[in-house]
Amino acid sequence: MEPNDETIARATLAHCMDGPDAMMYAALKGAPSARVLVEALMERRGAPGAAGEGDSYEPVRQDPGRELKDMFMVGAARWGKRADKEDLDRFRDALVRWMQRMDLLPSMRPDALRSLFTWDGSSWLIAPGHPCWPAQLGDLSERISWASPLCLWGRGDETALVSCEAPLAIVGSRGVNDYGREVAHSVAAHAALRGHLIVSGGAYGTDAAAHWGAIAAAERYPDRAGRTVAVFAGGLDHIGPQRNRELFDRILGASGALVTEMSPGTIPEARRFLLRNRVIAALARTVVVAQARLRSGAINTAMWGADLGREVYAAPGLVTEASHAGCNSLIHDGVAVILVDHEDVTELCHADHQPRDPQAEPQDESLPDPANGTPATATGDAGPNTTDAGATAQASQDTLWQAAPESSHPLEEPPGVKPAKAASRRLARGRIPSTKAASRPKPAPPKPTDDQQIVLTAIRSCRRRGMRAGEDEIGAAARRAHPQRAEIGPAWVAGQLGSMELCGLIVRDESGAFKPVERVPSKAASQAQAAVQTASGPGALPVAPKPVAPEPALEHATPEPAAPTPATGSA
């Protein structure tokens, strides 16, 4: 669906403010539509109509035009605060920044902007009112000084954003160890198996493990597995890290999406990662912290989740390691509920379902527009705001941008102050706390592919040499055995290990290293062996039974290689 003029206007405003800006959000809240606000800014800037080729304005603090000032004053009142002189001074300063950014646009014609903002149609752009707009992002504007994204840029399948009613965000440290990586991967894989959407940040470590877990489920069950969405801190022309390029391609291939609220050309500076975290928390209903230090972006995401009324879970870790101090602190402070199971995710998620496609469902005639509190048309055009500004209550704080009144959220109370409260909330929703549910899907593993056989051989080589079979060691062994395979890298190994662990070809031992699943005797063979032992009587020598063909449905391991590789040789 091609973005309409109202969506393009919102993208223009997002470009002008260069990140979440409560001043812009207040002005938009008081404007009849984003297009009217853009036209008022263009008039203030001095651009003639839609041509956008007028002289640049002088970037000095001037009194804003009456129209702009009225929009700001009305929008602030609708947001719960009567703007004073100090607020107007800040608004004047914001206007200077916005128009400086507007001067960077090559043209203000809608068609030119549509081509610019969508890279000639190679990416998509959505705003409130679009069938795929995640309504839960509106929670970010329930408190004064917070601002919801005006629009979202993305690549991939935009329906992934609304394919699940209660997505699961999984975050953690970039420098994650095997324990944290296993928690993130396993929780994501088992949640995706039940159709739930997995949200993370596309970074190294925990984020990558969570995405790979969801991808493994999607590639095994493409028709019913959940999807995954990566949220970035810069424009889509600056997504990274480069080492995760294969991961991003696989997310797109698994009907996932890469999204951002930042306009094209925006560089992912450090401050923008903290702003990105609020979007991850807002998209989800449950936030899981797999592993984190005391000062980390994952803790920032967890605090955003708690403030937004999301359920927050944290995986406990050793008190002697700083890498687990953040999660332990979240649990100790009552911000997060302890995560007691990384496979049984019934405690974390709502009922199992298949990913939904909103574009295939009948749509309501109007959808709420969180920027002005009024219905918007199904195509995304914001309707006129008719709310009485005088009816809104004045915030008790002195300044508009520090006020934070209590707000209502979809959940009954803030997340998990005590585990008992979290359990009662789950029981109220008809979900039973974790009891190792018997409904966990355990399909018979398939025969390994050629690539999986390479990984299995590398794992056995590491174990024969007495080496720990971690991701790095397995990758090194596979590259030694197959130097001609240029694609064998960290991302390739992570992807293969994720899919193999999910389908039961490999498991982790107590140290977190990988090992092949041993061959399980078939049911018929076990019965035959028992019959022979019974017939022989006590004390008799065992008689070898006749070979029985194994049952394919109970085969849980790959055949051992015919000849073992010498210990001194390559993998």
Side-chain angles (χ1 to χ4, degrees):
M1 181 186 298
E2 188 178 69
N4 57 19
D5 290 348
E6 178 69 8
T7 301
I8 294 301
R10 282 177 166 267
T12 303
L13 296 176
H15 168 85
C16 290
M17 67 183 185
D18 190 27
D21 191 332
M23 296 285 180
M24 177 70 81
Y25 197 85
L28 181 57
K29 200 171 182 69
S33 68
R35 287 176 293 179
V36 173
L37 180 54
V38 169
E39 290 170 359
L41 290 173
M42 290 170 57
E43 182 178 353
R44 177 65 178 164
R45 172 175 171 261
E53 299 174 354
D55 296 333
S56 297
Y57 74 106
E58 291 295 330
V60 295
R61 293 178 75 251
Q62 302 176 13
D63 184 63
R66 175 171 295 276
E67 186 178 12
L68 283 170
K69 182 162 59 174
D70 288 347
M71 291 179 189
F72 173 70
M73 298 281 286
V74 171
R78 287 171 175 163
W79 209 0
K81 169 66 178 180
R82 184 173 299 169
D84 55 21
K85 183 179 181 301
E86 186 178 357
D87 298 327
L88 284 174
D89 289 340
R90 293 172 181 161
F91 182 61
R92 293 187 186 98
D93 292 337
L95 280 175
V96 173
R97 297 194 303 270
W98 300 343
M99 288 186 283
Q100 285 174 338
R101 292 275 301 175
M102 185 176 285
D103 271 348
L104 300 177
L105 293 173
S107 173
M108 292 300 296
R109 295 192 306 271
D111 290 343
L113 291 174
R114 185 175 289 105
S115 176
L116 172 68
F117 288 142
T118 63
W119 285 280
D120 295 325
S122 62
S123 65
W124 44 262
L125 174 65
I126 62 174
H130 191 280
C132 297
W133 180 261
Q136 63 268 30
L137 289 178
D139 293 349
L140 285 170
S141 61
E142 288 186 357
R143 299 188 182 184
I144 297 174
S145 80
W146 296 6
S148 303
L150 298 186
C151 58
L152 289 176
W153 281 268
R155 293 176 184 167
D157 190 348
E158 63 266 32
T159 63
L161 289 169
V162 288
S163 61
C164 178
E165 295 181 357
L168 184 69
I170 302 176
V171 296
S173 299
R174 288 178 174 83
V176 66
N177 58 26
D178 285 341
Y179 167 78
R181 186 180 294 109
E182 179 183 3
V183 170
H185 184 279
S186 181
V187 170
H190 287 87
L193 278 175
R194 291 168 168 78
H196 307 308
L197 173 65
I198 306 300
V199 181
S200 197
Y204 291 138
T206 307
D207 291 3
H211 290 307
W212 280 119
I215 291 170
E219 291 181 345
R220 181 157 172 77
Y221 299 103
D223 295 333
R224 63 180 178 88
R227 306 174 187 179
T228 184
V229 169
V231 185
F232 295 94
L236 289 180
D237 51 345
H238 289 285
I239 62 173
Q242 291 297 319
R243 178 180 172 183
N244 283 351
R245 279 290 178 177
E246 181 178 347
L247 170 63
F248 304 150
D249 292 340
R250 295 280 285 276
I251 290 175
L252 298 179
S255 299
L258 314 176
V259 302
T260 181
E261 65 172 325
M262 300 297 180
S263 63
T266 304
I267 298 174
E269 300 173 354
R271 64 182 179 89
R272 293 195 174 104
F273 284 94
L274 297 180
L275 297 172
R276 180 275 309 269
N277 292 341
R278 87 192 202 291
V279 178
I280 295 176
L283 283 172
R285 195 195 65 181
T286 304
V287 178
V288 176
V289 186
Q291 181 182 343
R293 294 178 174 269
L294 279 175
R295 295 177 58 86
S296 66
I299 300 300
N300 176 259
T301 306
M303 299 309 297
W304 272 110
D307 288 341
L308 289 167
R310 278 35 173 178
E311 289 187 343
V312 181
Y313 288 80
L318 296 175
V319 297
T320 56
E321 294 187 6
S323 58
H324 299 289
C327 287
N328 293 339
S329 178
L330 289 174
I331 297 169
H332 174 270
D333 296 340
V335 176
V337 179
I338 187 171
L339 181 69
V340 297
D341 197 324
H342 65 98
E343 293 183 341
D344 182 6
V345 296
T346 54
E347 182 179 5
L348 307 176
C349 305
H350 61 298
D352 299 3
H353 64 91
Q354 288 188 338
R356 58 182 291 264
D357 184 356
Q359 295 182 340
E361 301 172 0
Q363 299 294 321
D364 295 335
E365 294 182 358
S366 63
L367 295 171
D369 184 348
N372 57 22
T374 60
T377 63
T379 59
D381 292 326
N385 196 326
T386 58
T387 305
D388 183 5
T392 58
Q394 179 175 348
S396 59
Q397 285 76 2
D398 293 335
T399 60
L400 169 64
W401 318 119
Q402 295 177 355
E406 293 297 327
S407 59
S408 59
H409 295 287
L411 301 181
E412 294 83 1
E413 54 183 320
V417 175
K418 294 182 179 179
K421 290 186 179 181
S424 28
R425 286 201 305 273
R426 290 189 294 272
L427 289 172
R429 296 191 199 100
R431 299 207 315 270
I432 301 175
S434 175
T435 55
K436 295 286 184 181
S439 60
R440 184 182 308 160
K442 292 183 178 180
K447 292 184 178 179
T449 64
D450 292 342
D451 289 344
Q452 291 173 344
Q453 190 61 56
I454 291 174
V455 175
L456 286 171
T457 304
I459 293 174
R460 294 189 177 101
S461 174
C462 291
R463 296 177 67 85
R464 281 196 302 270
R465 298 180 182 186
M467 299 170 54
R468 182 180 179 281
E471 288 189 16
D472 295 338
E473 293 79 7
I474 295 170
R479 285 190 293 272
R480 286 196 303 269
H482 301 275
Q484 74 281 5
R485 297 286 298 272
E487 72 275 14
I488 299 180
W492 184 89
V493 173
Q496 295 298 327
L497 290 173
S499 61
M500 293 169 66
E501 187 177 11
L502 186 64
C503 68
L505 289 173
I506 57 175
V507 295
R508 294 178 187 260
D509 58 21
E510 295 77 6
S511 67
F514 293 96
K515 64 178 182 179
V517 175
E518 298 300 331
R519 182 185 296 275
V520 177
S522 67
K523 181 178 179 181
S526 300
Q527 292 175 346
Q529 179 68 29
V532 170
Q533 292 291 351
T534 302
S536 302
L541 294 176
V543 180
K546 295 181 179 180
V548 180
E551 298 179 7
L554 298 177
E555 196 68 13
H556 286 273
T558 57
E560 294 291 332
T565 305
T568 58
S570 64

